[in-house]
Amino acid sequence: MRVITEKVGDETITVYIGRGALKELSLEGKKVVIYGSGLTNDVRNYLHGLQPNTLLEIDDGERSKNLQTVLSIIDKLIELNLSRRDTLIAVGGGTVTDVVGFIASIYKRGINLTNVPTTLLGMVDASLGGKNGIDYRGIKNLIGTFYQPKLVLEDLRFLDSLEQKNFRQGLAEVIKYGITLNKRLYDYLSNNSERILQRDEEAVEEIIASSVESKLQIVSSDERERIGIRSVLNFGHTVGHVIESLSGFSIHHGMAVAVGMVCEAEISEELGIGEEGVVEDTEWILSLFGLPLTASELNIKGDPNEISLLLSMDKKGYGDKISLPLPVRIGSWKRVEVEKSWLEKAIFQCLT
Ligand SMILES: NC(=O)c1ccc[n+]([C@@H]2O[C@H](COP(=O)([O-])OP(=O)(O)OC[C@H]3O[C@@H](n4cnc5c(N)ncnc54)[C@H](O)[C@@H]3O)[C@@H](O)[C@H]2O)c1
């Protein structure tokens, strides 16, 4: 079992990673487990190990990240008369931890939160760092808060039931850390792709732990994305969110981010920020794990008006500018500000 702790703001966040990590739960007060409907029956059985007072099922997937889901859960929490000393335990993929994290932050102005991610993407990214959110009017994560789970239990047993496609989607975010922040991780991915794709437990634990460390180090130095450091975690996401929105959220986040990273690496080279080869290195590692490189592989086509509208709602924008984290070379990145109008054209070109 690996244990990673990091101080974020006033909180110390503890993450357990390993087979059987659920047994590390020790909490006082009532425990309400909110889990995603996509969990298979074998996996649901693990939830009893958490000894919950109440188990609540919610729909999962991007379409459940909405206000109706939030309000229906809050109605249940009121019925249960939960106090701020009680705990919500979110069990599911990134969509579940995003919705439950948001609920935990607003119910009685904040109730304890534990995350139990059940997808690779959840383990390496969505369950960590305190960002949560729901989609609104077709805009990804338009409504949300920053709210830290004090405890994150990453039980590798959950990955057993994960489809290979879903596993690969999570690898997109692992690759993101490798390209921008962690050359050691990039090299490990390059040298161990077969083992990782075959889910060799030691290799999978290694890439998860390495990703968790990279993410928490960034979050601890810039929890609320105020000084620009945290923006690195958005690499591939500006274009990725456009792709998700253009598809009406039918394209999975990880797939959209994979293509987004290629586009943004191209933008980096075009602006003279990225050194020659950064696009090739990005494409090579993504293809090693069977991830898409182009919009046509996702059956998506850019629409200039939609791109313009989506960029105008992007949280990283202000005035005519938008800030982008761009790779310089493997393991190194830079934040740049670009004109929105220029970026619209660059994204359109990339998605055509
Ligand atoms: N808050 C953040 O910092 C952050 C970071 C990255 C991504 N995200 C968000 O995360 C979401 C994507 O997360 P995701 O990839 O986990 O998607 P998801 O939650 O939609 O889960 C994907 C699918 O996997 C199924 N599933 C979950 N656990 C399973 C298991 N153990 N076995 C079998 N199937 C299982 C679900 O039912 C679902 O169909 C997006 O909404 C994205 O915006 C948030």
Side-chain angles (χ1 to χ4, degrees):
M1 184 81 55
R2 308 238 194 156
V3 188
I4 297 172
T5 55
E6 187 73 60
K7 199 154 185 329
V8 178
D10 301 335
E11 302 282 6
T12 298
I13 316 293
T14 306
V15 185
Y16 290 91
I17 304 163
R19 192 160 278 270
L22 284 191
K23 68 176 185 307
E24 302 299 334
L25 185 78
S26 69
L27 294 172
E28 286 168 13
K30 287 189 213 159
K31 289 178 279 183
V32 175
V33 168
I34 304 175
Y35 66 95
S37 56
L39 291 187
T40 58
N41 284 337
D42 316 359
V43 164
R44 279 182 200 192
N45 285 335
Y46 301 146
L47 303 183
H48 298 290
L50 296 168
Q51 299 180 330
N53 298 83
T54 309
L55 277 166
L56 299 176
E57 179 177 314
I58 57 169
D59 283 340
D60 59 12
E62 198 64 37
R63 280 168 209 285
S64 62
K65 283 177 59 170
N66 61 45
L67 274 175
Q68 283 97 305
T69 311
V70 170
L71 294 177
S72 71
I73 292 292
I74 289 180
D75 281 339
K76 301 234 170 69
L77 302 186
I78 294 167
E79 278 168 32
L80 293 166
N81 193 21
L82 278 207
S83 81
R84 300 183 63 187
R85 292 182 178 200
D86 300 325
T87 301
L88 295 190
I89 305 177
V91 185
T95 54
V96 173
T97 49
D98 270 8
V99 173
V100 176
F102 181 55
I103 295 167
S105 75
I106 57 174
Y107 178 75
K108 297 195 175 173
R109 296 208 183 93
I111 176 170
N112 290 324
L113 172 67
T114 291
N115 277 343
V116 179
T118 61
T119 60
L120 181 62
L121 190 140
M123 291 182 187
V124 299
D125 198 353
S127 67
L128 306 156
K131 272 192 186 177
N132 57 53
I134 53 171
D135 308 330
Y136 188 60
R137 295 199 181 190
I139 312 286
K140 177 95 181 167
N141 298 332
L142 187 72
I143 301 174
T145 64
F146 288 91
Y147 193 70
Q148 298 295 338
K150 291 193 196 83
L151 182 64
V152 183
L153 302 176
E154 311 213 339
D155 194 326
L156 302 187
R157 288 180 298 174
F158 285 112
L159 298 181
D160 296 344
S161 56
L162 214 58
E163 285 174 10
Q164 193 65 358
K165 185 176 176 199
N166 194 319
F167 184 77
R168 283 208 309 267
Q169 288 158 353
L171 287 170
E173 299 282 10
V174 177
I175 289 171
K176 172 188 79 178
Y177 301 120
I179 293 173
T180 50
L181 291 166
N182 192 335
K183 181 164 185 317
R184 199 181 61 81
L185 175 58
Y186 183 95
D187 291 342
Y188 189 87
L189 290 165
S190 310
N191 297 329
N192 295 278
S193 60
E194 281 305 313
R195 282 176 73 203
I196 294 166
L197 285 169
Q198 282 163 13
R199 318 244 191 128
D200 172 287
E201 192 131 304
E202 196 190 316
V204 171
E205 194 177 293
E206 174 61 32
I207 59 166
I208 293 177
S210 206
S211 301
V212 169
E213 274 167 5
S214 284
K215 176 146 190 186
L216 287 184
Q217 272 166 17
I218 290 293
V219 171
S220 80
S221 36
D222 183 16
E223 184 189 4
R224 298 195 172 222
E225 212 163 315
R226 291 211 170 111
I227 53 174
I229 296 173
R230 188 171 176 153
S231 71
V232 65
L233 301 174
N234 294 323
F235 172 52
H237 285 60
T238 304
V239 178
H241 285 172
V242 168
I243 294 172
E244 284 184 271
S245 298
L246 284 173
S247 76
F249 296 114
S250 62
I251 291 175
H252 185 272
H253 182 74
M255 295 294 172
V257 167
V259 174
M261 286 193 282
V262 175
C263 288
E264 294 180 20
E266 283 170 358
I267 288 171
S268 187
E269 271 196 24
E270 202 172 318
L271 288 173
I273 306 284
E275 293 175 3
E276 205 183 318
V278 82
V279 175
E280 218 176 299
D281 291 343
T282 302
E283 290 180 333
W284 182 76
I285 194 86
L286 289 167
S287 50
L288 202 56
F289 290 97
L291 286 159
L293 308 180
T294 62
S296 60
E297 287 173 73
L298 300 175
N299 282 325
I300 198 106
K301 236 181 169 335
D303 172 274
N305 295 330
E306 279 246 20
I307 294 174
S308 170
L309 179 73
L310 291 167
L311 282 190
S312 70
M313 297 302 292
D314 194 295
K315 294 187 285 302
K316 298 173 291 301
Y318 53 95
D320 298 336
K321 301 241 164 112
I322 191 158
S323 121
L324 279 182
L326 295 175
V328 175
R329 72 187 81 83
I330 296 306
S332 156
W333 68 285
K334 195 173 168 189
R335 189 167 69 105
V336 292
E337 276 158 20
V338 295
E339 297 283 338
K340 270 188 196 154
S341 53
W342 181 87
L343 186 62
E344 279 166 27
K345 289 193 195 102
I347 294 178
F348 178 64
Q349 209 173 8
C350 185
L351 299 185
T352 306

